[in-house]
Amino acid sequence: EVQLQESGPGLVKPSQSLSLTCSVTGYSITSNYWGWIRKFPGNKMEWMGYISYSGSTSYNPSLKSRISITRDTSKNQFFLQLNSVTTEDTATYYCARSHGGYPYYFDYWGQGVMVTVSS
Amino acid sequence: DIVLTQSPATLSVTPGESVSLSCRASQGISTSIHWYQQKSNESPRLLIKFASQSISGIPSRFSGSGSGTDFTLSINRVESEDFSVYYCQQSYSLPRTFGAGTKLELK
């Protein structure tokens, strides 16, 4: 069974970097696409970006140059780094798998990790 | 970016009623729409892919329809476990976008 689990600090100070890990079991991250999605207080959902089976990435332009998604295939993990965070980055962060050979929809999700940006 | 507008924002129903949730895209997107259910304190669950295609393990009371700009998620005879928030998501272009959600609540 495919399982994803996010981990990382629940509290980050403004202007610092947010770093999260998604650990995947039951499926190799060298197949499919793997993404990060966040849900803000008030329920708005935002797709942040993905990393492909080959390691290529695509990001939401709204995040400009603040975001980076990388991976460690030996550990079957992929990572999110978001720089220069503000209180507006407070959200629940999910990692998810896109089904098949193209990132159309997300068929497996992690349980989510709540991150608060506050001094 | 493609904007997805979901309506209504909240829908109050009693168990046994049948409901339709709407998702409208800001431009034509063929059938590149997918529906998710999110219960409180859980992660989203995929219900329908490509507007009308069913997903293994999802109850048959959930169905989807539409193409172009107008899409509908239908729930035939709502059950108590269905009270949650429903989102649509488009895969027609990048960046992927989601609707704001429709909350299905108990009347």
Side-chain angles (χ1 to χ4, degrees):
Chain A
E1 182 187 2
V2 181
Q3 292 188 321
L4 297 86
Q5 172 118 26
E6 305 89 349
S7 59
L11 181 63
V12 181
K13 294 186 187 308
S15 80
Q16 294 189 343
S17 293
L18 179 163
S19 296
L20 298 176
T21 297
C22 183
S23 300
V24 180
T25 56
Y27 203 86
S28 172
I29 65 168
T30 59
S31 296
N32 292 51
Y33 286 72
W34 304 86
W36 288 97
I37 300 104
R38 62 183 177 176
K39 181 177 176 180
F40 298 100
N43 288 342
K44 177 186 172 183
M45 298 268 279
E46 179 180 62
W47 172 79
M48 301 181 73
Y50 67 66
I51 187 164
S52 77
Y53 53 89
S54 66
S56 63
T57 55
S58 180
Y59 302 131
N60 194 321
S62 69
L63 297 168
K64 298 179 183 177
S65 57
R66 295 199 297 137
I67 186 173
S68 176
I69 299 176
T70 57
R71 65 179 184 170
D72 183 338
T73 57
S74 67
K75 295 181 178 178
N76 217 38
Q77 296 175 327
F78 64 104
F79 312 99
L80 171 71
Q81 181 169 319
L82 187 65
N83 299 323
S84 306
V85 298
T86 71
T87 55
E88 296 192 351
D89 293 309
T90 293
T92 297
Y93 288 75
Y94 297 94
C95 59
R97 187 189 83 162
S98 279
H99 176 77
Y102 194 76
Y104 292 116
Y105 56 86
F106 306 99
D107 58 353
Y108 287 93
W109 295 65
Q111 86 284 356
V113 59
M114 186 178 298
V115 178
T116 300
V117 179
S118 175
S119 54
Chain B
D1 297 5
I2 294 174
V3 176
L4 299 178
T5 302
Q6 290 189 245
S7 61
T10 304
L11 190 54
S12 301
V13 302
T14 56
E17 282 188 63
S18 295
V19 299
S20 293
L21 284 61
S22 173
C23 177
R24 179 165 291 177
S26 58
Q27 65 182 75
I29 59 171
S30 185
T31 57
S32 299
I33 206 77
H34 318 288
W35 291 92
Y36 301 86
Q37 175 193 57
Q38 187 172 29
K39 298 181 181 181
S40 185
N41 297 322
E42 294 186 8
S43 54
R45 177 174 72 151
L46 180 68
L47 293 178
I48 297 288
K49 62 180 181 178
F50 294 109
S52 62
Q53 295 181 19
S54 60
I55 300 297
S56 175
I58 299 300
S60 59
R61 62 181 180 275
F62 292 95
S63 63
S65 63
S67 67
T69 60
D70 291 318
F71 304 89
T72 300
L73 174 70
S74 299
I75 310 175
N76 185 31
R77 291 194 292 273
V78 169
E79 298 189 5
S80 57
E81 64 188 33
D82 300 336
F83 294 108
S84 51
V85 181
Y86 294 85
Y87 294 95
C88 54
Q89 173 242 317
Q90 64 82 20
S91 62
Y92 186 81
S93 66
L94 293 174
R96 301 294 186 245
T97 52
F98 290 82
T102 290
K103 181 179 181 180
L104 187 66
E105 66 175 24
L106 179 64
K107 183 186 284 184

